[in-house]
Amino acid sequence: MSLSVEPKDLSSMNTLGLVSHASACVVFTDEAQLPALTRLATAYDHALVLGGGSNVVLAPQLSGLVICTQTQGIALIADTPDAWLVEAQAGETWHNFVGKCLENGWAGLENLALIPGTVGAAPVQNIGAYGVELDTRIDQVHAWDIQQGKSRVFSRSECEFAYRDSFFKRQPAGRWLITRVRFRLPKPWVPQLSYPDLSTCREMAASGQLTPRQVFDAVCAIRQSKLPDPAVLGNAGSFFKNPVVEASVWEGLRAGFPDLVGYPQPDGTFKLAAGWLIDRAGWKGRRQGAVGVHDRQALVLVNFGGATSAELLTLAQNICADVYARFGVRLEQEPVLCA
């Protein structure tokens, strides 16, 4: 199948709404196009695979080949006594996919509702929210090696998942194009309600009345109350990872800041709430030109309109420097910089 390459304004194709243009953009809609995609990519120095643009910081001008994934399709591969095996094409919108799973009675992804982006981008970032990490639901990831022109199926272990990280995120940009993702949704359904925000759901679970749809609705309501809609105010969700520190660092910080928010990890370390650090450093609600920190969630950096990646990254660097000066803790950016 042939592919058409053309310049593209990407300002509306990244959730931060950053001003960005691609000199060469191609839309991928069918796996039959993959060999042609590899042949085409050889004409460019580098390639960028773009899904929903929800976890990227785009430079004003992208000179390589930008591949926009728009494949569609959801299928039940198997229904076993232990799990539903559900496969989705990479171009499916993540939130819509979660909703369609629930409509079909396939529960297990409801805590990840309303996360922006596509199915194909979800494993790259290893998304997670409200007590559920995506890697616990992954069975296989199907990907195309753009450089070598061949497909590969990755098992869950081969994806090398870590906190907001994966094998794919650590590879050179444009090397791998995720085409399909297969999920294993365990039976029987067990609601994940560890987060304090889900206290209402815990009460319903105690009475035996809780359903997956109610968890889905609760998560949507929580996210909408705390996070800005990218269609209204450009953002990429959480801009910083929650830093993980040794127990000695945790104890030292707690001595000076008794209300410090953190979560013990299985290996004895502590995951600090980056939002608390940023808020306590005085950045919540602050603005620098066209960018700023959201007034309800300090983890979210926003574009008030017309901002460039340089303005956003300057704000991020200022926040990181201030947090380190105050707490001795280094923050790490979540969205990937694409130049």
Side-chain angles (χ1 to χ4, degrees):
M1 297 180 67
S2 61
L3 292 166
S4 176
V5 180
E6 58 184 20
K8 189 80 172 178
D9 184 349
L10 302 178
S11 304
S12 63
M13 297 178 68
N14 69 102
T15 61
L16 274 162
L18 298 175
V19 176
S20 182
H21 295 81
S23 56
C25 182
V26 62
V27 177
F28 163 60
T29 59
D30 192 297
E31 290 189 28
Q33 296 171 318
L34 291 171
L37 192 59
T38 286
R39 292 192 295 270
L40 180 63
T42 60
Y44 297 86
D45 291 337
H46 62 278
L48 167 66
V49 178
L50 187 64
S54 61
N55 196 50
V56 292
V57 177
L58 299 183
Q61 186 66 47
L62 301 177
S63 58
L65 177 66
V66 176
I67 303 168
C68 295
T69 304
Q70 295 183 10
T71 50
Q72 300 289 299
I74 299 170
L76 178 64
I77 303 301
D79 185 349
T80 74
D82 298 325
W84 297 281
L85 290 179
V86 182
E87 192 168 273
Q89 294 291 320
E92 286 283 346
T93 300
W94 175 260
H95 178 66
N96 290 345
F97 167 62
V98 174
K100 288 177 182 177
C101 284
L102 289 182
E103 288 173 8
N104 285 284
W106 313 325
L109 296 173
E110 53 282 341
N111 291 54
L112 305 179
L114 216 58
I115 295 178
T118 59
V119 167
V124 178
Q125 176 71 358
N126 188 21
I127 62 174
Y130 298 102
V132 173
E133 299 294 312
L134 184 70
D135 64 282
T136 64
R137 301 291 188 262
I138 292 285
D139 184 62
Q140 295 178 349
V141 173
H142 294 244
W144 178 259
D145 186 333
I146 295 175
Q147 291 183 7
Q148 297 188 17
K150 61 182 181 181
S151 61
R152 176 178 168 183
V153 178
F154 289 80
S155 67
R156 178 180 178 275
S157 62
E158 289 172 327
C159 291
E160 300 176 8
F161 289 120
Y163 173 57
R164 302 297 171 266
D165 196 17
S166 69
F167 166 85
F168 305 103
K169 191 172 182 178
R170 295 190 293 271
Q171 297 301 298
R175 171 68 187 273
W176 293 96
L177 169 63
I178 292 177
T179 56
R180 286 174 282 147
V181 184
R182 184 175 296 183
F183 301 86
R184 178 179 292 272
L185 306 181
K187 299 179 186 177
W189 176 66
V190 178
Q192 303 300 313
L193 307 174
S194 59
Y195 266 60
D197 289 342
L198 295 173
S199 58
T200 302
C201 289
R202 285 198 297 274
E203 294 171 4
M204 297 175 69
S207 64
Q209 298 178 342
L210 185 67
T211 66
R213 172 61 66 172
Q214 288 168 327
V215 177
F216 175 91
D217 290 341
V219 169
C220 289
I222 293 166
R223 293 185 69 91
Q224 288 170 335
S225 69
K226 292 185 174 182
L227 303 173
D229 182 348
V232 178
L233 189 61
N235 73 92
S238 298
F239 198 85
F240 300 101
K241 296 180 181 180
N242 289 322
V244 177
V245 300
E246 298 296 327
S248 59
V249 176
W250 161 257
E251 294 296 340
L253 285 170
R254 284 270 291 179
F257 306 96
D259 58 337
L260 175 69
V261 178
Y263 308 94
Q265 302 301 296
D267 61 359
T269 60
F270 283 78
K271 183 182 290 184
L272 305 183
W276 185 95
L277 297 171
I278 297 167
D279 188 359
R280 193 62 180 266
W283 282 94
K284 189 175 182 180
R286 286 178 59 179
R287 179 170 179 167
Q288 285 187 182
V291 295
V293 181
H294 194 245
D295 59 5
R296 294 199 307 272
Q297 175 51 268
L299 266 182
V300 177
L301 304 191
V302 298
N303 172 12
F304 292 104
T308 65
S309 58
E311 292 174 284
L312 185 74
L313 294 175
T314 297
L315 172 63
Q317 290 164 4
N318 291 341
I319 292 170
C320 289
D322 201 3
V323 166
Y324 183 73
R326 291 170 184 264
F327 305 104
V329 175
R330 296 191 185 279
L331 296 180
E332 184 179 349
Q333 177 178 317
E334 273 198 36
V336 177
L337 176 62
C338 301

